[in-house]
Amino acid sequence: MSASTEVAPLIPPMRWLLYIAAFLVFLAGLVLFVFPLQTNEFFAWTVNPPMTAVFLGAAYWASAGLEVTGARSESWDSARLAVWPVFIFTTLTLGVTLVHIDRFHLSPDTAPTAQIATWAWLAIYAVVPVAMLAISRMQLRSRPPAPVSGTAGRPVLPPVLRLLLAGIGGGLLLYGVALLAAPIPAAAWWPWPLTELTGRAIGAWLVGLGWAAAQGQISRDLRTARPVALTSVAFVILQAIALLRYGGALTWPSPPAIGFVTVLLAIGVAGGWALALSLAPAARAGMN
C-alpha cells in the first residue's frame, strides 16, 4: 500500500449545478420520450419522426443519471466524468440552436406552451455552459484536497474493456462530428431519416456520449468509471424501449440499422461489464 494520496472533494456549487442539470434534462426527456407526438405543443421545436424524439429523450434521461451520479460523488475525480460531457454537449447544442433558430417555436402562431419551452431552452443552453465553466474554475481553485489512504491496490479496467470503450468513444466522436459538420451526407449512415437540425442535435449527443466513453477508459479507475457505466446501461435499456415503440422507422435490414443495433449492444456490454466489476466485492474493497 502506498502512502496517502490526495483527492479533491466536490464543492457544493458543482454538486448543486449537477443536480439542477439532471432535473432539467429529466424534464426534456419526459416530453420527448413519453409524448413524442406532441413536440409541436410542448417542446422547443417540432421533432419528427417520433423515433428521433424518443432517441433524444432516451439520451436525456440517461444523462440525467450521469449527472445525479456525478452530483452524489464525494470527489471531483469521479464527478468530472459527468461535468465535461455535459459541458461539451450543452455548448454544441447551443451552437446547433443558433444555427437553426428559425426552426424553434418563437412565432406567436405556435402554442403558448411551445413558446415557453423555447425560451426556457434558450435560457438553459445559454446559462449552463457558462455556469459550468465558472464553477469548474472554482472547483479547481478550491481548498487543498483532503488526504486519503493509499490506493495502490485499487482495481482498474481490464485492457480489453478499455479497448472496447476507446473504440466506442472514438466511433461516436467521429460520427457525431460528421453529423454536426455535414448532417445531410452523414445522415445517409443513420438508420432513419434526419433533417439538418435533427442530425446536428443527434450529433451533439454522440459527441457528448463519445467523450464520456473516452474519459471512462482513460480514467482506468473503476470508482471514477462507475457513472459512465451506469449511464451506458440506462442508455441502452431506454433505446431498446424506443425501438420497441418506433423501431419500424428503421430501414431494416440495412447496414445502418444493423450498425445502430450493434453499437447499442457494444455500449451495453461495455457498460454492464464495467458496472459489474465496480460492484464486485474485491472492487469495493479496493475503493475503500
Side-chain angles (χ1 to χ4, degrees):
M1 189 74 68
S2 67
S4 66
T5 187
E6 295 184 336
V7 176
L10 189 66
I11 62 174
M14 181 61 77
R15 192 182 306 278
W16 281 108
L17 179 60
L18 287 169
Y19 276 129
I20 292 169
F23 176 71
L24 293 173
V25 297
F26 172 80
L27 291 180
L30 182 66
V31 175
L32 291 166
F33 199 78
V34 180
F35 306 105
L37 301 178
Q38 295 174 275
T39 55
N40 62 320
E41 297 180 55
F42 301 114
F43 198 60
W45 43 283
T46 302
V47 185
N48 281 313
M51 183 61 204
T52 300
V54 293
F55 174 90
L56 293 172
Y60 273 107
W61 271 0
S63 72
L66 176 65
E67 289 155 5
V68 168
T69 306
R72 289 171 57 85
S73 300
E74 293 297 326
S75 70
W76 167 243
D77 192 42
S78 181
R80 66 187 172 84
L81 267 73
V83 171
W84 300 130
V86 171
F87 171 74
I88 290 166
F89 165 73
T90 53
T91 302
L92 290 173
T93 301
L94 175 61
V96 170
T97 299
L98 296 177
V99 169
H100 296 284
I101 194 66
D102 59 308
R103 294 285 307 278
F104 283 72
H105 293 148
L106 294 171
S107 169
D109 297 331
T110 56
T113 50
Q115 293 181 54
I116 293 171
T118 301
W119 285 110
W121 174 283
L122 292 172
I124 290 165
Y125 283 103
V127 170
V128 168
V130 176
M132 198 149 276
L133 269 184
I135 297 175
S136 294
R137 180 179 173 85
M138 292 170 56
Q139 173 70 64
L140 295 173
R141 299 179 64 181
S142 63
R143 62 189 181 277
V148 296
S149 60
T151 55
R154 180 184 298 168
V156 297
L157 298 180
V160 175
L161 178 53
R162 294 184 64 220
L163 182 62
L164 179 58
L165 282 169
I168 292 169
L172 292 178
L173 284 167
L174 287 173
Y175 189 51
V177 169
L179 282 171
L180 287 166
I184 298 304
W189 292 95
W190 194 255
W192 66 84
L194 299 176
T195 64
E196 285 191 348
L197 173 54
T198 56
R200 287 191 167 115
I202 289 175
W205 269 115
L206 296 185
V207 170
L209 293 169
W211 191 279
Q215 280 192 148
Q217 72 86 21
I218 291 172
S219 72
R220 295 176 56 89
D221 186 344
L222 287 173
R223 180 187 62 185
T224 58
R226 186 180 294 177
V228 176
L230 286 167
T231 302
S232 300
V233 172
F235 179 75
V236 171
I237 291 172
L238 289 166
Q239 293 298 347
I241 296 171
L243 286 172
L244 289 174
R245 294 172 65 192
Y246 295 105
L250 277 68
T251 53
W252 302 104
S254 66
I258 295 171
F260 180 79
V261 173
T262 301
V263 171
L264 284 182
L265 289 174
I267 294 172
V269 168
W273 187 359
L275 185 59
L277 288 172
S278 70
L279 295 175
R284 291 198 299 271
M287 294 174 194
N288 293 327

